[in-house]
Amino acid sequence: MSGIEPTGRIPVVFCFGGVSSEHEISCLTAAGVLGALDTTRFEPYGIGIDKQGGWHRYTAAEIRALRTVQGSFPMVDATKPGALLVRDGDTTCLATLHGDALSDKTPVSVAFPLLHGPYGEDGTIQGFFEMQGLRYVGAGVAASAIGMDKHLMKVACVAAGLEVAPYVTFTKSMWDADNASWLTAMEALGYPLYVKPARGGSSAGISRVKNRDELSAAIEFAAAYDPKLVVEQAIVGGREIECSVMGPLSDGDAQVRTSRPGEIIMHAKDGFYDYEAKYVSSSEAELKIPADLAPEIEAAVRQACARAFLAVGAEGLSRVDAFVMPDGRVYLNEINTMPGFTEISMFPQLWLKSGMSYTALISDLIDQALSRPLGLR
Ligand SMILES: Nc1ncnc2c1ncn2[C@@H]1O[C@H](COP(=O)(O)OP(=O)(O)O)[C@@H](O)[C@H]1O
Ligand SMILES: [Mg+2]
């Protein structure tokens, strides 16, 4: 394998931060992952992407030091020296950029994008790595783009025979041009409805609405995040179940792997798993890991989540979220191709309950990426 250092350690470049609304969460993820990385096998390097999209060189120690201080989340420091990934013959190198001068040029073998949301989880940076001839952890270009888009993800899942909540999708300009027709289409689904930016995350821009006034306001709110919108029927009476999925191991195990599922238990009636419940208030929602499900229902959920992973063509890792009805019926909600990945996040916690530590999980993902061929696959 190219790019292995004389020490024998594999140089890995971790990318974090980013321009999406999940910048801060990504910084926390990066600190967690770097803290747990097996540094006997991997040599870590960092690229912090600031909120304007600028790239900055970070050392592993600087990444590990990112933490929440007095309630304010960490962010990438835009005053740090620039970072550059350049293709040099058949290797890809990371370099520091001071004005016009390059320094610290070093070959890297694989990138680990710890980025959530648009321009991180949506195929854009994955396309950049493809152009650089650099292997990377996680889903490829098309799967990342489909997984990010709550409309395209449903199309792929339905084509694979999975069930999703009935929905309509349109753009802000389509809505502005013809309010009345879209209202008719949305109301035909029946209230309550969820209004979502198609390519959002962390519940940003999402509303649950019960009438037409709330609906119109929710559309304007969601459109501030994304001009493409998805409006769907609320699944009432379903349990919110999530499952961690990983690609096959390189050593011949051809099966997609699923973890034990977990459950999000909301305390408020009609409450949903919003940003506050996810990151701010620990009293609104409870994570039950593993979920208390009858064995046949657990098996059905795991199978549906594995099928969703394959339906979008994911690789590496995904957290697949579903609603499970009392009769065992499973509705796919979403697939996150770069799920929350701090040590206490659902994705690693589910693997822990399934027998894999945070450190082993990170190594597994890098090994999967290294075993993938470059180019079309
Ligand atoms: N159709 C639905 N029925 C019931 N609850 C929903 C529905 N869609 C979303 N929710 C609630 O809203 C939360 C956020 O929606 P989700 O589609 O997962 O967006 P995000 O990508 O921002 O996490 C879910 O975790 C769930 O609590
Ligand atoms: Mg979600």
Side-chain angles (χ1 to χ4, degrees):
M1 219 163 282
S2 68
I4 295 190
E5 288 201 325
T7 57
R9 295 198 297 168
I10 298 164
V12 185
V13 58
F14 293 86
C15 304
F16 62 96
V19 298
S20 84
S21 59
E22 293 166 282
H23 178 100
E24 291 83 355
I25 310 304
S26 166
C27 293
L28 291 174
T29 289
V33 168
L34 270 285
L37 182 74
D38 179 356
T39 51
T40 65
R41 290 194 55 212
F42 304 111
E43 172 79 23
Y45 295 92
I47 296 175
I49 303 178
D50 70 37
K51 287 194 156 184
Q52 277 66 49
W55 287 27
H56 305 279
R57 187 85 184 254
Y58 269 74
T59 65
E62 287 168 336
I63 299 174
R64 285 188 203 106
L66 294 166
R67 59 174 62 94
T68 304
V69 179
Q70 291 170 344
S72 59
F73 288 122
M75 281 168 51
V76 168
D77 176 2
T79 65
K80 287 182 69 63
L84 201 67
L85 273 178
V86 283
R87 193 169 184 159
D88 187 2
D90 61 359
T91 58
T92 307
C93 293
L94 173 67
T96 307
L97 187 64
H98 304 269
D100 291 340
L102 285 186
S103 65
D104 309 320
K105 191 165 157 238
T106 180
V108 288
S109 295
V110 58
F112 199 145
L114 293 166
L115 297 157
H116 306 299
Y119 306 100
E121 195 176 347
D122 64 349
T124 48
I125 199 164
Q126 289 76 13
F128 175 78
F129 296 142
E130 295 281 350
M131 300 296 285
Q132 295 291 328
L134 181 62
R135 291 180 171 82
Y136 54 95
V137 170
V141 175
S144 298
I146 294 168
M148 185 79 245
D149 185 315
K150 290 180 165 65
H151 164 226
L152 296 179
M153 177 278 305
K154 287 184 190 355
V155 171
C157 286
V158 169
L162 295 159
E163 272 198 274
V164 303
Y167 70 99
V168 293
T169 180
F170 51 89
T171 62
K172 176 70 164 64
S173 54
M174 290 159 82
W175 163 250
D176 288 339
D178 188 1
N179 269 264
S181 301
W182 289 110
L183 277 174
T184 306
M186 289 185 280
E187 291 188 333
L189 300 171
Y191 292 107
L193 292 168
Y194 275 84
V195 180
K196 307 179 179 182
R199 294 154 295 191
S202 289
S203 301
I206 296 185
S207 311
R208 182 185 204 270
V209 300
K210 296 185 293 299
N211 56 52
R212 189 175 275 205
D213 284 347
E214 289 178 358
L215 178 57
S216 297
I219 289 170
E220 298 301 328
F221 179 55
Y225 290 83
D226 189 340
K228 182 175 179 182
L229 307 168
V230 172
V231 177
E232 62 189 56
Q233 198 182 79
I235 301 294
V236 178
R239 290 167 68 183
E240 199 167 344
I241 303 291
E242 306 191 338
C243 188
S244 299
V245 186
M246 292 223 284
L249 278 175
S250 49
D251 58 9
D253 172 9
Q255 296 298 312
V256 165
R257 295 167 286 163
T258 57
S259 71
R260 301 280 321 266
E263 180 167 12
I264 316 285
I265 301 172
M266 292 302 302
H267 292 309
K269 185 180 172 300
D270 290 350
F272 73 95
Y273 199 33
D274 60 9
Y275 189 90
E276 180 86 6
K278 283 177 180 173
Y279 307 113
V280 184
S281 158
S282 54
S283 59
E284 285 187 32
E286 186 187 321
L287 304 190
K288 179 106 179 51
I289 302 172
D292 190 7
L293 294 169
E296 65 280 10
I297 296 199
E298 173 164 338
V301 175
R302 290 172 75 159
Q303 195 196 33
C305 293
R307 279 171 63 198
F309 185 92
L310 293 168
V312 306
E315 294 172 280
L317 73 164
S318 287
R319 200 194 66 234
V320 184
D321 301 347
F323 300 109
V324 179
M325 305 309 283
D327 64 2
R329 204 159 150 185
V330 177
Y331 290 92
L332 253 295
N333 179 39
E334 61 159 344
I335 177 161
N336 295 283
T337 54
M338 185 45 70
F341 206 90
T342 66
E343 188 160 12
I344 59 162
S345 300
M346 184 67 113
F347 183 86
Q349 285 292 316
L350 289 174
W351 281 116
L352 195 61
K353 283 286 184 252
S354 310
M356 193 178 343
S357 74
Y358 192 41
T359 296
L361 180 59
I362 295 162
S363 300
D364 183 311
L365 291 170
I366 299 171
D367 286 334
Q368 285 187 62
L370 287 166
S371 72
R372 274 164 31 180
L374 288 170
L376 296 178
R377 51 182 185 274

